[in-house]
Amino acid sequence: MSDPADPTDPAVRVDTTSQVPPYEQIRAQLAALIVSGRLVEGDRLPTVRQLAADLVLAPGTVARAYRELEAAELIRTRRGAGTRVATPPFRPGNLDPTQLTTLARDFTSAARALGAAPEAILDAVREALGPEPDPVTRPAPDEPLFQPGTSSSGSSTE
């Protein structure tokens, strides 16, 4: 799954000294790669046996991570077609608070697996959020963020 010579290639790493179980490290890192768009719909993941061999882990460890990713609808496995990134389960306007909690857990698990301290994790989240938008320009709660046929700046694209 990873080519050390290519810094843009997604890589899954397991820290055997971490208190986070290996299956959770794998699940969190793959979920983060999928949610961030580094792995996109249709991308093929390595087989359970291949990833287990690459990470020097038992196949059951990788299988558990894959099962949890399937349960979260992030990947799909089909006999003969392998394991691929699924269509994103996001449904606009239908945010499930547990989805947000799962995303936060995925990120924090992956960050902890990298050895990040809690304050560094919070700093990264704050930076990713960026500045608060001007309250005057926020759409009403029932108003869509983007109107069909307009760009995010509000100018027409037609």
Side-chain angles (χ1 to χ4, degrees):
M1 171 157 205
S2 108
D3 175 2
D6 181 2
T8 63
D9 189 29
V12 173
R13 293 179 180 82
V14 172
D15 177 1
T16 57
T17 64
S18 173
Q19 292 184 349
V20 178
Y23 81 89
E24 175 61 19
Q25 291 180 49
I26 295 166
R27 185 202 62 75
Q29 289 176 54
L30 287 173
L33 289 168
I34 293 166
V35 171
S36 71
R38 291 201 49 210
L39 291 175
V40 297
E41 180 181 354
D43 281 354
R44 190 171 187 157
L45 298 180
T47 65
V48 166
R49 291 184 191 278
Q50 182 61 55
L51 187 55
D54 290 349
L55 297 174
V56 192
L57 294 171
T61 302
V62 175
R64 181 170 179 185
Y66 276 22
R67 279 193 308 272
E68 292 198 11
L69 289 166
E70 282 187 284
E73 300 178 6
L74 293 175
I75 64 171
R76 65 181 182 282
T77 301
R78 298 236 164 75
R79 176 169 257 125
T83 301
R84 296 185 182 270
V85 174
T87 303
F90 175 75
R91 292 154 195 88
N94 192 18
L95 176 65
D96 178 359
T98 58
Q99 288 177 314
L100 189 57
T101 300
T102 299
L103 290 172
R105 187 183 70 180
D106 292 346
F107 171 73
T108 55
S109 293
R112 285 183 178 141
L114 293 173
E119 193 55 40
I121 294 170
L122 289 171
D123 288 345
V125 170
R126 287 184 194 104
E127 184 177 325
L129 286 172
E132 272 291 311
D134 181 1
V136 175
T137 62
R138 285 187 186 158
D142 59 341
E143 184 180 326
L145 290 176
F146 301 102
Q147 297 294 328
T150 63
S151 70
S152 60
S153 65
S155 62
S156 177
T157 57
E158 297 180 334

